[in-house]
Amino acid sequence: MFPSTDLQGLWENIWHELTSAVRDRQHPFRLPAVATVSPEGEPAVRTVVLRHVHSEQRRVDFYTDARSPKVKHLQHQPRASWHFWDPSRQVQIRLMTQVTLHRDGDAIARQRWENCPMASRLAYAKEIPPGQRMKDSTEDRLPSLDDHPGEQKGQENFVVVMGSVDQIDFYEIMGHRHRRAQWSMTRAGIHGEWIAW
Ligand SMILES: Cc1cc2nc3c(=O)[nH]c(=O)nc-3n(C[C@H](O)[C@H](O)[C@H](O)COP(=O)(O)O)c2cc1C
């Protein structure tokens, strides 16, 4: 259960928990499911690591490989829906976002790459692109640290997927009395309201 009883307090609870999840590896919001739509119109959902939350700018992001199918989806349709579930508090949060992709040469991608530990960078230096068919599961492996793939190897495949939140749906299970609220963000401002569950 989230502590606040009013919409403003609930809004603050939501952003506080999302922000905490970036630092706290045990936080259930650290591993959201993110849904995209393929160019063929097929929905696709997968788990990602929540890497950054900017509550004032209402932004959330994760990192991925430029060669992965989800990047093609987002190039075609730059919208993503994020799903967070906290079983101990019985809270579901869904975010709708407009997405921008930040890649090499871009200041945001460069700065995040600099802060990425070497071991995590190696995943982007893999030769076989994500999603490619293989004869054997062992064909795909991380380049060895001993190979000294270099500080920048893999950087060309590193993408920051930045979601600008324009809708939040909050749903809390509380025995027989649930709570649901929604906020929409437009140029005119933020509008929050209680919603029937
Ligand atoms: C716990 C967990 C965390 C993951 N984190 C990420 C991530 O941060 N970024 C990412 O691209 N894939 C991540 N993955 C893999 C994705 O869930 C997905 O399987 C993969 O990226 C391929 O997605 P796509 O084919 O839709 O592009 C993670 C998987 C698990 C199980």
Side-chain angles (χ1 to χ4, degrees), residues 1-186:
M1 183 180 159
F2 274 16
S4 292
T5 51
D6 60 294
L7 282 170
Q8 181 55 33
L10 214 45
W11 166 271
E12 283 157 23
N13 294 162
I14 290 168
W15 285 104
H16 173 77
E17 291 305 323
L18 289 172
T19 308
S20 306
V22 174
R23 291 186 303 272
D24 177 1
R25 285 175 175 271
Q26 305 306 319
H27 199 295
F29 288 175
R30 188 174 161 82
L31 295 173
V34 174
T36 54
V37 178
S38 78
E40 295 76 34
E42 285 294 318
V45 66
R46 78 287 291 160
T47 310
V48 299
V49 180
L50 181 67
R51 294 291 180 184
H52 196 79
V53 171
H54 197 304
S55 56
E56 272 131 59
Q57 294 175 6
R58 300 185 293 280
R59 283 196 332 243
V60 288
D61 59 55
F62 70 93
Y63 302 158
T64 197
D65 192 306
R67 302 166 293 176
S68 68
K70 69 180 86 51
V71 170
K72 289 188 185 65
H73 299 182
L74 291 166
Q75 282 166 335
H76 178 79
Q77 172 61 270
R79 302 281 299 164
S81 177
W82 302 56
H83 170 267
F84 302 83
W85 164 241
D86 181 340
S88 63
R89 293 188 180 89
Q90 297 281 287
V91 165
Q92 169 185 269
I93 292 170
R94 292 184 298 163
L95 308 179
M96 275 303 298
T97 61
Q98 185 69 21
V99 165
T100 48
L101 301 173
H102 296 271
R103 300 185 60 169
D104 55 341
D106 162 317
I108 290 171
R110 245 196 342 262
Q111 187 239 331
R112 300 298 181 79
W113 177 259
E114 299 302 329
N115 292 327
C116 215
M118 194 62 188
S120 309
R121 289 186 190 181
L122 288 175
Y124 300 95
K126 287 194 309 133
E127 271 176 31
I128 305 182
Q132 182 168 305
R133 286 203 176 88
M134 301 187 303
K135 285 199 197 76
D136 191 276
S137 68
T138 57
E139 272 181 59
D140 191 16
R141 62 173 77 93
L142 287 179
S144 158
L145 266 176
D146 301 335
D147 293 344
H148 297 294
E151 289 283 303
Q152 307 310 330
K153 185 138 192 286
Q155 192 177 5
E156 71 280 11
N157 298 323
F158 177 73
V159 178
V160 179
V161 179
M162 191 174 278
S164 191
V165 179
D166 48 43
Q167 208 181 313
I168 300 180
D169 185 294
F170 167 90
Y171 195 119
E172 184 180 71
I173 307 285
M174 292 199 319
H176 296 296
R177 202 169 59 81
H178 305 332
R179 287 199 296 175
R180 187 171 178 200
Q182 277 182 358
W183 289 263
S184 49
M185 286 135 256
T186 61

